[in-house]
Amino acid sequence: GWLVILIVCVCGDVCITGHDSGPVFEEQPSSVVYPEGLSKGTVTLNCQARASPAATYRWHVNGTNVPVGDLRYTLVAGNLVISGPQYGSDGGSYQCLAMNRCGTVLSRVANLKFGYLHDFSGEGQSPQTVYEGAGAFLACQAPAHYPALSYRWFVNDFPSFVKPDGGRWFVSQVTGNLYLAKAEPNDTASYFCFTTIDMDISTKSTFSKANQLTVQPDGTGVSNTRKSAPAIKVRFPAETYALAGHTTQLECFAYGNPIPKLRWRKVDGLLPSKAGASAEGPILTLPEMTFHDEGVYECEAYNSEGRDKHQGRINVQGRPEWLQVMSDSEVEISSELHWTCVAAGKPRPSIRWLRNGQPLSTQVNGGRLKVINLALEDSGMYQCVAENKHDTIYSNAELRVQVQAPDFRSNPVRRLVPAARGGQVMLECRPRAAPKPTLFWSRGTELLTNSSRVTVTPDGILWIHNISRADEGKYTCFAENYLGKANSTGHLSVRDATKITLAPSNADINQEENVTLQCHASHDPTMDLTFTWAHNGALLDLEDPAGPYHRDLLIVSGQLSQAGTYSCTAQTVVDSASASAKLVVRGPPGPPGGLVVKNVAETSAELRWSRGYDNHSPIGKYVIMGCSPLSSGWRTMRTEPSNIEGNAESARVVGLLPWMDYEFQVIASNILGSGEPSMSSHTVRTQQAAPTVAPSGLGGGGGDRNELIITWTPMAREYQNGDGFGYILAFRKRNTPTWVVERVSNVESSRYVYSNQSLSPYCPFEVKIKAYNRKGEGPFSQIALVHSAEEEPTVAPSRINATALTAFEMQVSWDPVQHLSIRYWRQHEREAAADRVRTAGLETTARVAGLRPSTRYHVTVLAYNSAGTGPASPKSTVTTRRPPPNRPPGNVFWKTDGSWVTVRWDHVKALGNESAVLGYKVLYKHEGQSALKVLDKGKTSVTLPLPKDNGYVVLEIRSWGEGGDGAAHETIHWIGGRMGYTKGNFHHIYMPVISFQISEEK
């Protein structure tokens, strides 16, 4: 039958292995703040544990038993309910004990405290008087209370609370005092300190008697004239202790006029970003403190009159946290137990041990528990307790001490153990037993002892080496302790050994080539044989073997990463045989290493590197690549020497731009190609040099009177060669010896204005420009000619003549003047509404179009230049001609004569208000020709050659006279021998010749 193992608990009850389990907390009590004087309420402290059998519970308060069953103390499951908690009798530290027959555990401690807020004393404070512009404070003098208060102040009447008002007011949450940075007349009032306390189930508030503040004028008769530098009045402590994971606040506030501004910094590092907007306010808030936040913090108050500073240190401490804990253990009787607990915290936590809720003093060394020669009574619930001044934490584990006679049923010796001839075999003997049994082996009736071929280890493992057929047979393991004996037998079967018959051969290939590694083996035919391949010791994931007795490994398109040692293993269940070969893959070189840049000059830099792996083909040469902010990517750099041989490990890069950032790479190549580039170098900046080119685009002119304006194109970054960059302008009047030199210090500048009251208008200046930087000056540009500003013309044009050309155009002429503006306006219009036409250069006539027919116009001519417009000429008058007839020539017909066509039309007769017809214009175009031809005819007919192919001729006929051109007749198309009218523009039309006819499209 089954042997039932019993573990005896300290309570005398029995904990059954495999069935029972000790208590494990699922709910533990939490601390409570209860309002003092609230007599009808209840407090519930939770405690629930998982256990088998179910746990029972007890409670301790301040180390003594809670009298559960008393009218005021009730146990609901494991929870303790206190009715009508009373200050003085019920306050203290509560702890729950959960227990069953396997052991006892203690919960964490929960504190029950009583909150209270007394009233302010009945005495009001003395009235305060302060001068306008000065600082002041009102003390709160809060009454007795627990826990901490929050503070506000109100003015005259509740709830008119004081607001910050641009940083003038501040309420300290440490002292409750109200501070005023700069008093103003309307601050005169009664002020009340308003305090609030928050407890777990209620909130209570109270406020002080009135604090009278009077603000007097400063005595100068002028408001706010008493300026003062900041003086910090609210100072955070020199040492502040913060708790990791919690929020810390530092307070700082200053008097001063103007109102001081505040800013915070961390003296020994960067201010944590989590400070956020509070970094410029009177309360620096640092949430979720970490040990990185520890350090010295400074508050600075500043205004236009000066500044004041205050510093203090934040020391961050931490609650205990487990780094290592013990776990449930089952160990055999008489053996040893070793458990370790490690906790972090600041201050460093102390560690103590409990067994079944009782302190362990022996066998303990700090966080280590050692129990030797374990007995049944050592079983139970163990707790490791870590504590510092901030918290106490518990870790729990169950220890079970086992006792059992040897038993092979769950782990017998293997019934059949195959082994290979010449190899070795291991037979295991692992019965369940406590305490540890004595183990020995026999073959038949022969007791086995250690020899040259047989080894029996103390933990019962049997090794047989250099196996032969004679070793076949039955092997029995015997186990014995003081509780009993047991044995188990297995059979050893000897098989033929596995051997490699064709081992893989070393191979040497170029990258992308194929190679096959062969592997054949022989083995015992009664067993299955499998093949595996490993590359540099790592097993390869391959498909099923191609055949039963050999496995060839095919490597397709070999890569550099596939070079190395390949091992073939032929394996049966009893043994295995292996053979290896080396594969060399030749390819382009690997990346060079250790690239450094040294001796960086103005236009060159020295590069050094170390050889990369040549991948079994000698390195032939190196190429250096570079990039800068001006390049779109990596490009090949010029070097000295220009061809870098494969044995080189340094070169000089030349042709660089001064004062430019560069990164470099080195690429090695051999006959098989170029390898991967090296890691990029760190970014280097070449040395500065004086500019070597002059700015371009030099010109200028124009501007206001007495100005010389010089313009140029700003220098691009690649030509600046250094910082402190600017331009030097030199200019002089043409044909004078002395140059005026001016410096322009902005690299982006593109314009310089030289003003001088003695500058004559439109005076020619010779101008040149060069660039400079911190290292020196560049060359001057070519000289450009630039004129100073012109004066507006002072003389009006003379001999103005205006002539009507048509009904819609007139021509205006004058004596030569450069740059003219013509103004013209109709009779009865105001001159201010005149239209304008401008001319350039020394023109003496201008044509003005877009006029109205039969209309009288007034015309004046004005000279202009870049400085403005001169006086107008005397007014000239002109009347446009009558309009041309608005009817086209009618009754158009044609007649052909061989290769000619004659077109005729009726004469157009002008009406009384129209200008007379003086002739006709015929516009036509041959297919394939781009030019339009115009015939100016006085008659009413025209003879034209007919096209020889299927092209066409376009005709447009209109009258003309003094008023201009009249309306056009519809366009006529000849399409080979066919003619027709279309209105509007002509089109390409191709048709066969059918007949001659005229038709008008409607």
Side-chain angles (χ1 to χ4, degrees):
W2 291 95
L3 179 65
V4 177
I5 305 302
L6 302 181
I7 296 179
V8 179
C9 181
V10 292
C11 57
D13 205 346
V14 176
C15 181
I16 303 173
T17 299
H19 179 269
D20 293 349
S21 60
V24 176
F25 282 115
E26 294 181 319
E27 284 187 49
Q28 298 191 59
S30 298
S31 295
V32 177
V33 177
Y34 187 81
E36 184 181 317
L38 184 65
S39 58
K40 295 185 178 179
T42 61
V43 168
T44 300
L45 300 174
N46 294 333
C47 184
Q48 297 295 324
R50 181 178 70 252
S52 177
T56 58
Y57 301 91
R58 290 207 317 270
W59 282 84
H60 287 169
V61 56
N62 300 328
T64 63
N65 284 325
V66 174
V68 174
D70 183 304
L71 290 176
R72 293 194 309 107
Y73 301 105
T74 310
L75 207 57
V76 179
N79 301 339
L80 176 65
V81 181
I82 307 173
S83 301
Q86 297 174 5
Y87 177 75
S89 59
D90 292 324
S93 300
Y94 287 79
Q95 200 167 17
C96 171
L97 290 76
M99 60 201 78
N100 70 0
R101 63 192 179 203
C102 293
T104 301
V105 286
L106 290 180
S107 75
R108 69 181 175 216
V109 172
N111 294 311
L112 172 57
K113 295 187 177 181
F114 288 82
Y116 59 92
L117 173 60
H118 294 170
D119 289 332
F120 280 86
S121 68
E123 299 176 8
Q125 296 187 37
S126 302
Q128 278 209 54
T129 300
V130 63
Y131 280 107
E132 178 183 359
F137 85 96
L138 300 173
C140 180
Q141 296 182 341
H145 60 274
Y146 181 83
L149 295 174
S150 62
Y151 299 91
R152 288 189 291 175
W153 284 73
F154 63 88
V155 189
N156 294 331
D157 297 301
F158 184 86
S160 178
F161 286 104
V162 171
K163 294 185 171 56
D165 188 20
R168 281 202 317 126
W169 293 98
F170 173 65
V171 179
S172 169
Q173 295 303 309
V174 176
T175 63
N177 296 343
L178 174 65
Y179 292 86
L180 176 57
K182 183 192 80 168
E184 295 178 355
N186 58 5
D187 293 329
T188 297
S190 295
Y191 292 83
F192 300 82
C193 181
F194 185 82
T195 62
T196 302
I197 192 167
D198 282 317
M199 291 168 282
D200 290 315
I201 62 175
S202 70
T203 299
K204 184 177 180 182
S205 298
T206 185
F207 58 88
S208 69
K209 300 292 184 185
N211 293 260
Q212 185 64 39
L213 175 67
T214 303
V215 180
Q216 291 188 350
D218 65 358
T220 64
V222 181
S223 177
N224 284 346
T225 56
R226 289 195 179 185
K227 306 276 188 181
S228 60
I232 295 177
K233 296 297 181 182
V234 179
R235 297 169 176 262
F236 54 96
E239 295 279 343
T240 297
Y241 288 90
L243 197 54
H246 288 241
T247 296
T248 293
Q249 293 187 323
L250 303 181
E251 292 189 346
C252 177
F253 189 73
Y255 295 170
N257 183 12
I259 301 167
K261 292 185 177 178
L262 298 168
R263 60 181 165 221
W264 296 81
R265 73 183 186 98
K266 190 165 185 254
V267 176
D268 44 2
L270 290 176
L271 189 70
S273 59
K274 60 189 170 188
S278 74
E280 294 182 352
I283 300 180
L284 178 71
T285 301
L286 299 171
E288 296 180 359
M289 293 291 289
T290 69
F291 292 104
H292 293 295
D293 299 328
E294 195 168 73
V296 177
Y297 288 78
E298 178 184 271
C299 164
E300 181 183 28
Y302 61 98
N303 66 11
S304 58
E305 304 303 302
R307 58 194 64 234
D308 192 11
K309 295 180 180 179
H310 173 66
Q311 291 183 353
R313 180 174 185 83
I314 295 181
N315 296 296
V316 180
Q317 300 196 336
R319 302 177 186 275
E321 289 183 8
W322 290 121
L323 301 180
Q324 181 184 343
V325 295
M326 72 283 198
S327 56
D328 293 347
S329 296
E330 289 189 5
V331 291
E332 0 175 284
I333 196 168
S334 302
S335 63
E336 288 189 1
L337 170 72
H338 294 270
W339 266 340
T340 301
C341 280
V342 181
K346 190 177 178 184
R348 187 172 181 176
S350 63
I351 292 183
R352 54 191 173 88
W353 294 80
L354 304 174
R355 183 178 69 201
N356 294 324
Q358 298 300 315
L360 273 177
S361 53
T362 59
Q363 305 168 319
V364 171
N365 179 15
R368 291 189 174 88
L369 173 67
K370 176 182 178 183
V371 184
I372 59 174
N373 194 22
L374 283 164
L376 288 175
E377 57 266 25
D378 291 319
S379 297
M381 299 301 297
Y382 286 74
Q383 290 180 285
C384 183
V385 186
E387 57 190 328
N388 65 13
K389 65 182 181 179
H390 301 296
D391 202 2
T392 302
I393 55 175
Y394 293 76
S395 172
N396 306 342
E398 184 175 357
L399 171 66
R400 296 196 176 181
V401 178
Q402 292 182 324
V403 58
Q404 180 178 354
D407 185 352
F408 280 100
R409 282 173 295 186
S410 62
N411 194 20
V413 173
R414 285 173 61 193
R415 289 182 179 278
L416 177 64
V417 183
R421 275 195 303 178
Q424 62 181 20
V425 71
M426 177 186 75
L427 284 81
E428 286 188 296
C429 180
R430 296 198 183 280
R432 286 177 64 98
K436 260 192 183 106
T438 303
L439 302 171
F440 54 91
W441 285 87
S442 70
R443 183 182 176 209
T445 58
E446 176 191 359
L447 186 67
L448 295 176
T449 58
N450 288 343
S451 66
S452 59
R453 291 197 316 112
V454 176
T455 303
V456 182
T457 67
D459 56 356
I461 294 177
L462 171 65
W463 285 95
I464 304 173
H465 307 276
N466 194 16
I467 293 171
S468 66
R469 288 283 182 190
D471 292 320
E472 277 193 335
K474 290 186 177 180
Y475 290 80
T476 302
C477 176
F478 294 90
E480 180 179 354
N481 66 13
Y482 70 84
L483 294 170
K485 298 179 182 179
N487 63 71
S488 180
T489 301
H491 184 269
L492 177 65
S493 172
V494 180
R495 315 287 174 91
D496 288 340
T498 304
K499 294 180 181 177
I500 299 292
T501 57
L502 177 60
S505 302
N506 294 339
D508 186 330
I509 62 171
N510 289 339
Q511 189 172 280
E512 300 295 338
E513 291 181 351
N514 302 342
V515 66
T516 299
L517 301 177
Q518 293 183 309
C519 186
H520 296 207
S522 63
H523 71 296
D524 190 299
T526 64
M527 293 180 292
D528 290 334
L529 180 69
T530 58
F531 284 86
T532 58
W533 284 89
H535 176 218
N536 294 333
L539 203 62
L540 295 176
D541 184 13
L542 302 174
E543 302 167 1
D544 292 335
Y549 302 117
H550 62 86
R551 173 61 188 272
D552 297 339
L553 179 66
L554 173 63
I555 298 173
V556 179
S557 297
Q559 300 300 311
L560 295 171
S561 60
Q562 293 175 302
T565 301
Y566 285 83
S567 302
C568 164
T569 300
Q571 189 164 0
T572 65
V573 292
V574 299
D575 70 339
S576 64
S578 298
S580 299
K582 289 198 169 162
L583 174 64
V584 173
V585 181
R586 302 180 188 273
L595 176 60
V596 293
V597 186
K598 294 185 173 182
N599 303 326
V600 180
E602 296 170 354
T603 59
S604 64
E606 183 182 339
L607 268 60
R608 294 183 179 275
W609 62 88
S610 56
R611 290 173 59 84
Y613 191 48
D614 66 7
N615 290 325
H616 310 288
S617 179
I619 296 172
K621 68 172 184 175
Y622 290 97
V623 172
I624 294 177
M625 310 295 289
C627 74
S628 73
L630 301 176
S631 59
S632 57
W634 293 94
R635 61 185 183 88
T636 305
M637 307 303 289
R638 287 171 44 210
T639 59
E640 289 180 357
S642 55
N643 293 316
I644 308 171
E645 296 183 353
N647 58 359
E649 292 191 351
S650 68
R652 190 154 199 85
V653 182
V654 296
L656 304 177
L657 295 173
W659 196 55
M660 186 60 64
D661 292 336
Y662 287 95
E663 289 181 65
F664 300 102
Q665 292 178 340
V666 182
I667 298 175
S669 60
N670 58 21
I671 59 172
L672 295 173
S674 295
E676 292 291 316
S678 68
M679 293 280 287
S680 299
S681 71
H682 60 279
T683 301
V684 297
R685 176 169 288 190
T686 48
Q687 297 290 320
Q688 301 188 29
T692 56
V693 296
S696 61
L698 185 61
D704 294 335
R705 185 182 299 181
N706 305 125
E707 285 184 346
L708 172 66
I709 295 179
I710 303 169
T711 59
W712 63 92
T713 303
M715 290 278 271
R717 172 66 178 79
E718 60 261 39
Y719 302 120
Q720 292 171 20
N721 288 8
D723 57 4
F725 185 88
Y727 305 95
I728 296 175
L729 286 166
F731 50 92
R732 67 183 178 187
K733 286 183 184 177
R734 192 164 59 182
N735 301 326
T736 62
T738 306
W739 292 90
V740 178
V741 178
E742 297 286 353
R743 294 172 81 89
V744 180
S745 60
N746 185 0
V747 64
E748 301 293 338
S749 295
S750 61
R751 187 172 186 267
Y752 176 75
V753 180
Y754 173 68
S755 297
N756 191 322
Q757 294 301 315
S758 65
L759 273 183
S760 50
Y762 206 64
C763 177
F765 277 80
E766 292 179 322
V767 179
K768 57 184 178 179
I769 188 171
K770 64 180 175 182
Y772 73 89
N773 61 22
R774 197 180 303 281
K775 298 294 285 184
E777 300 175 2
F780 268 118
S781 67
Q782 295 287 324
I783 291 175
L785 197 64
V786 179
H787 287 81
S788 61
E790 300 176 273
E791 283 188 332
E792 62 269 19
T794 57
V795 179
S798 59
R799 297 178 63 184
I800 306 304
N801 183 38
T803 307
L805 296 178
T806 67
F808 313 104
E809 289 181 299
M810 65 175 164
Q811 182 162 298
V812 185
S813 63
W814 56 88
D815 280 352
V817 177
Q818 195 161 20
H819 301 317
L820 281 236
S821 174
I822 302 167
R823 280 205 300 237
Y824 62 96
W825 64 99
R826 297 199 302 272
Q827 183 89 359
H828 310 307
E829 283 186 336
R830 290 180 299 109
E831 184 177 353
D835 289 320
R836 290 176 181 245
V837 172
R838 285 201 167 198
T839 70
L842 290 169
E843 298 290 336
T844 59
T845 63
R847 207 171 170 119
V848 181
L851 306 180
R852 294 187 181 184
S854 306
T855 303
R856 188 175 181 83
Y857 282 89
H858 301 297
V859 181
T860 63
V861 182
L862 309 86
Y864 74 89
N865 60 21
S866 61
T869 304
S873 69
K875 188 165 57 178
S876 179
T877 302
V878 64
T879 301
T880 52
R881 300 183 185 275
R882 288 178 293 172
N886 65 357
R887 297 168 307 288
N891 200 20
V892 178
F893 64 95
W894 57 268
K895 179 182 178 183
T896 58
D897 181 9
S899 61
W900 296 85
V901 61
T902 299
V903 183
R904 299 183 185 277
W905 56 89
D906 289 347
H907 176 64
V908 178
K909 186 175 181 181
L911 302 177
N913 63 343
E914 294 176 336
S915 58
V917 175
L918 301 179
Y920 299 90
K921 291 180 181 178
V922 181
L923 185 71
Y924 71 100
K925 174 178 181 281
H926 280 281
E927 163 75 341
Q929 294 179 346
S930 59
L932 291 169
K933 296 183 180 180
V934 181
L935 292 176
D936 202 348
K937 304 289 290 183
K939 298 183 293 185
T940 58
S941 66
V942 65
T943 300
L944 296 169
L946 275 173
K948 294 177 181 178
D949 53 14
N950 279 353
Y952 53 83
V953 174
V954 177
L955 286 180
E956 182 184 271
I957 308 168
R958 64 172 78 229
S959 63
W960 66 271
E962 289 181 344
D965 293 345
H969 188 275
E970 290 90 343
T971 304
I972 303 171
H973 301 268
W974 271 275
I975 311 157
R978 186 172 182 265
M979 184 176 74
Y981 300 152
T982 63
K983 295 180 180 180
N985 296 329
F986 61 82
H987 307 276
H988 290 270
I989 302 173
Y990 294 92
M991 293 178 63
V993 178
I994 302 172
S995 62
F996 294 103
Q997 66 179 40
I998 300 176
S999 63
E1000 184 173 350
E1001 294 181 7
K1002 299 296 184 185

